């Protein structure tokens, strides 16, 4: 019966007229069919996607058992879409129909039920025309109500009137307007204006909505109210899955947003449009939960409200029905105002840019060197690279990381050190290989202190590969060493033959103020010496990652053993250090 | 490596003549406690018999790592170790600055000669980290290199 009712709604929407034996319209003639077939036609004619098998178990039609629910909720001031939700109507299409039309149809549905009730409690003395008409109805069912000019208007029962009056034009007592005004084209325009003015680059979007916690309270109150009513009427009320507010909202608003923005909605999208709704008028409605379930509400940090959405939901799970009914009207009362859409914000997921950098200055820290608010050295590797990336990608902020670090006074030569830059909330995300090359050139032209290569976009996972390098890979260095006592070529030649020299290094004094005291064992794989004069020689070394080279040379008060001093039986010091290579094969080398 | 250290001196600690100490303060505020050149233990002819980090029944500076932070906090006159020489003399080495004891030099236990041969580097006694707030003030009770040299000059002139 009721599937037919809904079909009627749709068929009349697209220009069909009901006649005795079937339906006539511009698309042709459809003979009167049972609910099943009409349902299928409905799908075909309106071009809607057939419902997936995974739809809600309870079906997309209003049945007899839904009447008291519709009655109760409409008279309490619930909007038509919320009414459909509570009747477990799962057809997304229906929610997208204009709410005025849905309201009219629900009223018709009630009117029909009203008449049905009338037949039951009718007295024997019926005017003959009425009797005929009623019998006619009994035969044909609800679909006859629109017979052209056939049936005069039946007086509606009092409750029927209240139902229509209560809901028409009022703010919904359950969704506080979310499924009303905030589904309209005006709001969609408002959101899209915000998105367009924020000037982001995106190919899809995810729309996330933050609802005020009292909506959960009201939802529960409506459900309890319905449950009570059904119990009073002695009707069964199974705990079917009521359509969630957020889900229904997304059914309605996604297609509209998608059309305006020109891109599809995608749950996995990196571009997020978020709206925060608030309803200050009813904020205190959650407070009774604190007395009923005090341990759900921990003391607030930073003067923020204790009544967070999570806390409220937790309390609602715990509170007993009787307690809830005592403290809160079920179904809930109508509010005066709509919700406010507080913030409409856009956020793009982070992008990652990787590359390798060379450092040619002996006076440049990797990260800004600031003590007590005072900058000790001008600029840094990080800043020289990020300046250009931030401008091009138009990001809010960045996170710089690299495969190990070097001191201020150490140069990085060879292929350079791998680094990765996370750009947070970038406005621009699409760059061709050509554009990246140009960006790389711009960075290189702007400074002689650093140079970058292999600049490319990478995924978040790729960063893990870089950090692997820090622990596992080898590095090669070139050190300029001074000795106090004179040396001859023969005195240092033996160094070249030492392989896999094992070092015991205590945490160097120069970093002891910020690192814990520890002993680390490290390997010097190979060495190659270059005699310069009686007090100087150059040493090339290949070492395990994490070896402190300077301390290996001067010994750090004997806390690194062995060291060059102990090996040569002299006092040695390091004058210059260069990183010759960082042996990590990431990021991929790019052809020039 | 010593270029990063500033030298501070404390002469005649606890009134004992010539028992001078030199504190090497790194620019990162880490301090290395060493014997100053004038210290009796560094004069020719002295042989070190024993170095003992056990300064009392309950406290051994070697056990430093195990105990909590509070036990490792030193005052200026906290003893670090006791050194006895073969001529029967006993010397106590004091912290000279307030702060947290990071480590004592175990190399001199196995090789006491190190203390005499390289007192300012490998023969150091201990490493102490002053509190961040006190890092500047700790040197107030100590002498700069120049001031110490004046003390040395005075000693020489009064001796002769």
């Amino acid at each position: 019966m009721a599937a037919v009712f809904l079909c009627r709604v749709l068929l009349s929407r697209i220009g069909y007229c009901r006649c005795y034996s079937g339906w006539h319209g511009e698309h042709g003639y459809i003979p009167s069919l049972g609910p099943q077939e009409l349902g299928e036609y409905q799908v075909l004619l309106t071009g809607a996607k057939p419902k997936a098998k995974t739809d809600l178990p309870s079906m997309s039609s209003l049945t007899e058992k839904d009447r008291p629910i519709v009655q109760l909720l409409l008279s309490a001031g619930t909007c038509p879409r919320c009414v459909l939700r509570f009747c477990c109507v799962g057809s997304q299409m229906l929610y997208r129909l204009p709410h005025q039309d849905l309201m009219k149809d629900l009223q018709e549905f009630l009117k029909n039920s009203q008449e049905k009730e009338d037949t039951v409690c009718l007295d024997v003395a019926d005017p003959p025309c009425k009797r005929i008409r009623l019998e006619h109805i009994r035969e044909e069912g609800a679909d006859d109500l629109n017979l052209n000019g056939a049936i005069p208007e039946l007086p509606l029962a009092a409750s029927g009137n209240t139902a229509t009056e209560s809901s028409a034009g009022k703010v919904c007592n359950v969704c506080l307007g979310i499924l009303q005004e905030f589904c309209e084209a005006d709001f969609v325009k408002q959101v899209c204006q915000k998105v367009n003015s924020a000037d982001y680059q995106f190919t899809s979007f995810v729309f996330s909505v933050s609802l005020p916690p009292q909506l959960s309270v009201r939802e529960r109150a409506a459900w309890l109210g319905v449950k009570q009513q059904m119990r009073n009427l002695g009707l069964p009320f199974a705990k079917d899955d009521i359509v969630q507010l957020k889900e229904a909202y997304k059914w309605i608003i996604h297609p509209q947003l998608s059309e305006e923005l020109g891109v599809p909605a995608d749950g996995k999208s990196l571009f997020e449009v978020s709206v925060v709704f608030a309803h200050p008028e009813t904020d205190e409605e959650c407070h009774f939960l604190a007395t009923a379930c005090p341990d759900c509400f921990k003391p607030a940090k930073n003067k923020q409200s204790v009544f967070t959405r999570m806390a409220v939901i937790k309390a609602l799970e715990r509170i007993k029905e009787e307690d809830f009914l005592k403290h809160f009207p079920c179904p809930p009362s109508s509010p005066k105002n709509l919700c406010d859409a507080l913030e409409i914000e856009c956020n793009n997921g982070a992008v990652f840019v990787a590359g390798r950098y060379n450092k040619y200055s002996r006076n440049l820290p990797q990260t800004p060197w600031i003590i007590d608010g005072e900058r000790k050295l001008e600029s840094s590797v990080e800043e020289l690279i990020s300046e250009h990336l931030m401008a091009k990608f138009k990001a809010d902020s960045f996170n710089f990381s690299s495969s190990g670090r070097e001191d201020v006074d150490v140069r990085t030569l060879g292929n350079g050190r791998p680094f990765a830059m996370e750009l947070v909330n970038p406005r621009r995300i699409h760059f061709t290989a050509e554009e990246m090359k140009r960006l790389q050139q711009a960075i290189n032209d702007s400074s002689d202190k650093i140079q970058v290569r292999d600049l490319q976009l990478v995924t978040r996972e790729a960063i893990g590969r870089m950090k692997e390098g820090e622990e596992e890979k080898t590095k090669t260095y070139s050190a300029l060493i001074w000795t106090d006592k004179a040396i001859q070529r023969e005195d240092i030649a033996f160094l070249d033959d030492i392989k896999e020299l094992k070092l015991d290094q205590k945490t160097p004094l120069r970093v002891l103020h910020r690192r814990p005291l520890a002993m680390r064992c490290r390997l010097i794989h190979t060495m190659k010496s270059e005699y310069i004069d009686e007090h100087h020689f150059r040493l090339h070394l290949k070492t395990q990652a994490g070896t402190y080279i300077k301390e290996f040379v001067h010994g750090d008060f004997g806390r690194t053993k062995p060291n060059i001093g102990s090996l040569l039986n002299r006092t040695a010091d390091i004058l210059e250090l260069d990183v010759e290579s960082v042996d990590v094969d990431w990021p991929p080398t790019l052809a020039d | 490596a010593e270029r990063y250290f500033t030298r501070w001196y404390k002469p005649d600690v606890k009134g004992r003549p010539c028992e001078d100490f030199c504190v090497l303060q790194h620019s990162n505020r880490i301090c290395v406690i060493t014997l100053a050149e004038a210290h009796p233990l560094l004069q020719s002819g002295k042989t070190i018999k024993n170095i003992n980090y056990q300064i009392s029944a309950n406290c051994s500076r070697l056990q430093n790592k195990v105990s909590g932070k509070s036990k490792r906090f030193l005052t200026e006159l906290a003893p670090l170790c006791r050194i006895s020489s073969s001529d029967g003399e006993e010397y106590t080495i004091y912290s000279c600055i307030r702060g947290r004891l990071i480590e004592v030099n175990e190399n001199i236990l196995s090789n006491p000669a190190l203390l005499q041969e390289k007192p300012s580097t490998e023969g150091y006694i201990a490493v102490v980290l002053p509190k961040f707030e006190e890092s500047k003030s700790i040197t107030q009770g100590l002498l700069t290199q120049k001031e110490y040299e004046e003390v040395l000059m005075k000693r020489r002139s009064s001796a002769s």
Side-chain angles (χ1 to χ4, degrees):
Chain A
M1 284 294 188
V4 172
F5 154 72
L6 287 175
C7 254
R8 186 181 56 75
V9 164
L10 278 147
L11 288 169
S12 61
R13 192 105 20 255
I14 55 171
Y16 272 79
C17 281
R18 181 73 173 89
C19 70
Y20 182 83
S21 59
W23 295 82
H24 275 290
E26 47 184 279
H27 302 280
Y29 168 78
I30 304 171
S32 224
L33 297 168
Q36 181 73 12
E37 295 95 311
L38 273 174
E40 287 166 10
Y41 267 105
Q42 150 193 337
V43 166
L44 285 170
L45 289 169
T46 58
K49 282 207 199 105
K51 281 193 307 302
K53 294 263 158 59
T54 54
D55 257 11
L56 299 166
S58 189
M59 276 330 294
S60 65
S61 27
L62 289 181
T63 61
E64 302 292 318
K65 69 171 173 63
D66 297 322
R67 283 199 186 100
I69 302 176
V70 176
Q71 178 84 46
L72 172 68
L73 290 178
L74 281 185
S75 55
T78 307
C79 73
R81 291 181 181 129
C82 284
V83 172
L84 289 180
R85 288 197 300 116
F86 275 82
C87 297
C88 307
V89 173
S91 158
Q92 297 188 22
M93 240 182 347
L94 281 176
Y95 290 87
R96 294 181 192 138
L97 297 172
H99 66 83
Q100 299 94 325
D101 292 358
L102 285 175
M103 179 59 94
K104 249 180 43 195
D105 294 335
L106 282 176
Q107 288 162 12
E108 293 286 348
F109 175 72
L110 276 187
K111 209 162 70 171
N112 169 51
S113 74
Q114 210 49 47
E115 291 187 341
K116 276 248 146 78
E117 284 174 23
D118 284 351
T119 60
V120 172
C121 29
L122 259 183
D123 238 275
V124 177
D126 266 355
C129 56
K130 192 174 178 188
R131 190 186 302 131
I132 295 167
R133 190 190 58 243
L134 287 172
E135 281 169 45
H136 191 57
I137 288 167
R138 233 176 282 134
E139 280 167 16
E140 297 279 10
D143 37 358
D144 280 302
L145 284 173
N146 263 354
L147 277 173
N148 295 324
I151 302 177
E153 278 288 302
L154 265 182
L156 289 170
S159 54
N161 268 332
T162 331
T164 61
E165 277 166 22
S166 288
S167 277
K170 267 187 165 183
V171 177
C172 176
N173 65 334
V174 178
C175 71
L176 301 177
I178 302 278
L179 293 185
Q180 296 174 291
E181 302 305 305
F182 291 105
C183 293
E184 298 295 299
D186 281 343
F187 181 65
V188 172
K189 268 209 172 55
Q190 195 187 339
V191 173
C192 292
Q193 250 164 30
K194 192 71 202 287
V195 172
N196 291 326
S197 65
D199 198 28
Y200 277 81
Q201 220 177 21
F202 54 92
T203 51
S204 63
F205 70 95
V206 60
F207 185 58
S208 68
V209 162
S210 168
L211 299 173
Q214 55 271 38
L215 281 187
S216 314
V217 175
R218 281 171 166 263
E219 186 91 359
R220 170 68 60 91
W223 183 74
L224 283 178
V226 166
K227 190 168 160 193
Q228 263 196 324
Q229 172 80 327
M230 297 300 267
R231 216 185 292 149
N232 293 344
L233 292 174
L235 291 168
F237 182 58
K239 197 184 196 281
D240 282 340
D241 291 293
I242 292 171
V243 177
Q244 291 302 301
L245 175 56
K246 253 194 199 176
E247 201 178 343
Y249 185 50
K250 290 192 178 179
W251 288 345
I252 304 166
I253 205 162
H254 273 182
Q256 295 182 69
L257 283 174
S258 200
E259 174 144 0
E260 278 281 322
L261 295 174
V263 297
D266 177 3
K268 295 202 203 79
S269 177
L270 289 174
F271 179 60
E272 183 191 26
V273 180
S274 61
V275 183
V276 175
F277 287 107
H279 198 253
E281 181 194 319
T282 56
D283 271 343
E284 289 174 6
E285 285 181 353
C286 303
H287 292 195
F288 75 92
L289 288 170
T291 40
C293 301
D295 45 319
C296 287
F297 301 98
K298 291 183 197 132
K301 312 177 202 176
N302 306 328
K303 288 190 182 169
Q304 271 171 3
S305 175
V306 164
F307 298 100
T308 60
R309 205 170 148 71
M310 289 318 296
V312 166
I313 290 174
K314 203 161 148 206
L316 286 174
E317 278 168 18
R318 288 217 209 145
I319 192 173
K320 288 196 211 101
E321 227 176 87
E322 313 89 67
D323 290 334
F324 191 98
L325 290 164
K326 255 187 271 171
H327 287 100
F328 202 85
C330 301
S333 54
S334 289
K336 290 197 209 84
N337 303 306
L338 277 178
C339 271
D340 302 318
L342 281 187
E343 301 158 14
I344 302 172
E345 290 193 341
C346 302
N347 187 74
N348 230 341
V351 294
F352 295 87
V353 176
R356 299 179 85 109
Y357 72 83
N358 284 103
K359 177 153 103 73
Y360 298 117
S361 163
R362 291 201 188 278
N363 227 346
L364 188 70
Q366 204 200 52
T367 54
W369 194 346
I370 300 171
I371 298 181
D372 296 331
E374 225 187 285
R375 192 184 267 273
K376 292 292 171 186
L377 273 181
E378 207 186 293
S379 197
S380 59
V381 173
E382 178 183 286
E383 285 166 290
L384 288 173
I385 298 178
S386 67
E387 201 186 310
H388 295 264
L389 293 180
M390 286 287 281
K392 261 276 147 58
F393 283 77
K394 296 201 194 359
D396 283 348
S397 63
F398 67 88
N399 287 315
F400 179 85
S401 57
S402 62
S403 180
R405 291 193 301 194
E406 61 283 310
D407 289 339
V408 173
D409 57 350
V410 174
R411 297 188 303 179
T412 308
L413 309 174
N415 268 344
R417 187 183 294 279
F419 71 89
M421 183 87 75
E422 177 186 356
L423 293 154
V424 178
N425 197 16
R427 306 295 187 281
R428 293 271 168 282
I429 55 173
H430 292 126
F431 288 88
T432 62
E434 268 307 305
E435 290 170 305
M436 289 305 285
K437 271 215 170 66
R438 267 181 269 151
L439 186 51
Q440 176 176 301
Q441 193 59 50
I443 297 174
N444 290 340
D445 291 340
S446 71
S447 171
D448 53 1
K449 293 186 179 173
I450 59 147
Q451 292 283 283
V452 300
R453 71 180 72 208
D454 303 333
L455 198 68
Q456 56 196 275
L457 287 164
V458 295
T459 63
R460 188 186 284 272
E461 292 70 42
I463 311 300
R465 294 252 5 243
M466 177 187 76
K467 283 299 182 183
E468 261 171 41
E470 204 165 326
E471 305 297 309
E472 292 162 13
K473 305 294 185 170
T474 59
K475 322 267 164 98
T476 63
Y477 299 89
S478 168
L480 180 59
I481 300 177
W482 168 89
T483 58
D484 61 345
K485 290 198 286 238
I487 47 167
Q488 304 308 320
R489 276 177 212 276
E490 312 83 71
D491 297 321
I492 60 170
F494 75 100
L495 292 173
D496 297 5
D497 301 326
I498 302 179
K499 306 290 174 214
E500 309 305 312
L501 176 65
K502 209 153 150 239
L503 299 184
D504 285 323
Q505 299 196 285
K506 278 194 189 165
T507 308
L509 290 177
R510 63 187 169 95
V511 299
L512 253 189
H513 64 295
R514 55 183 168 86
R515 292 264 171 85
L517 180 66
M519 179 71 89
R520 50 179 63 66
C521 294
R522 289 290 185 270
L523 285 176
I524 309 251
H525 298 300
T526 60
M527 289 188 277
K528 181 102 183 62
S529 59
E530 261 177 52
Y531 185 83
I532 298 176
D533 61 38
E534 286 192 338
H535 292 279
H536 300 93
F537 70 101
R538 193 168 278 283
L539 186 66
H540 300 271
L541 328 84
K542 180 164 171 184
T543 74
Q544 188 182 0
T547 310
Y548 285 98
I549 306 299
K550 292 178 179 174
E551 277 68 21
F552 170 59
V553 175
H554 62 62
D556 192 35
F557 287 67
R559 299 164 75 257
T560 288
K561 290 191 283 196
N563 54 72
I564 292 291
S566 67
L567 290 172
L568 297 181
N569 203 11
R570 287 161 172 76
T571 299
D573 203 358
I574 184 166
L575 299 181
E576 267 177 24
L577 182 61
D578 292 329
V579 178
E580 303 252 287
S581 72
V582 175
D583 307 323
V584 179
D585 55 6
W586 182 92
T589 315
L590 299 179
D592 269 324
Chain B
E2 283 86 53
R3 64 194 117 109
Y4 295 110
F5 291 92
T6 318
R7 304 178 89 104
W8 298 93
Y9 294 87
K10 194 167 180 98
D12 308 313
V13 172
K14 277 225 168 158
R16 298 168 69 125
C18 291
E19 286 191 27
D20 304 343
F21 295 93
C22 177
V23 175
L24 299 170
Q25 187 190 38
H26 195 281
S27 47
N28 68 10
R29 81 182 200 276
I30 285 271
C31 294
V32 185
I33 315 297
T34 67
L35 297 181
E37 272 179 26
H39 197 283
L41 279 171
L42 299 181
Q43 307 318 310
S44 55
K46 281 275 194 196
T47 336
I48 294 176
K49 191 170 77 180
N50 178 262
I51 301 177
N52 193 358
Y53 281 111
Q54 182 95 33
I55 55 165
S56 69
N58 290 332
C59 182
S60 163
R61 294 301 180 200
L62 288 173
Q63 309 256 285
N64 201 40
K65 295 166 206 167
V66 186
S67 50
K69 206 165 170 170
S70 51
K71 288 190 190 156
R72 293 158 65 183
F73 195 80
L74 303 172
T75 57
E76 288 96 321
L77 290 177
L80 290 174
C81 68
R82 299 193 205 285
I83 303 180
S84 48
S85 51
S86 50
D87 58 7
E89 295 282 351
E90 211 193 62
Y91 303 91
T92 306
I93 314 295
Y94 297 96
S95 173
C96 301
I97 57 161
R98 287 161 57 83
R100 184 157 65 96
L101 179 63
I102 303 287
E103 69 174 26
V104 291
N105 190 356
E106 292 183 35
N107 292 332
I108 57 176
L109 278 183
S110 44
N111 185 9
L114 214 47
L115 177 53
Q116 293 173 308
E117 284 163 27
K118 297 190 179 168
S120 291
T121 54
E122 285 162 61
Y124 72 97
I125 308 288
V127 178
V128 179
L129 176 66
K131 277 198 215 170
F132 186 75
E133 310 82 64
E134 292 179 10
S135 51
K136 298 273 163 69
S137 59
I138 45 141
T139 54
Q140 272 163 16
L142 303 173
L143 303 180
T144 61
Q145 176 97 28
K146 250 197 164 166
E147 290 164 349
Y148 180 62
E149 275 162 20
E150 280 169 31
V151 169
L152 287 178
M153 274 206 310
K154 274 207 204 104
R155 276 189 201 156
R156 269 177 240 136
S157 53
S158 61
S160 55

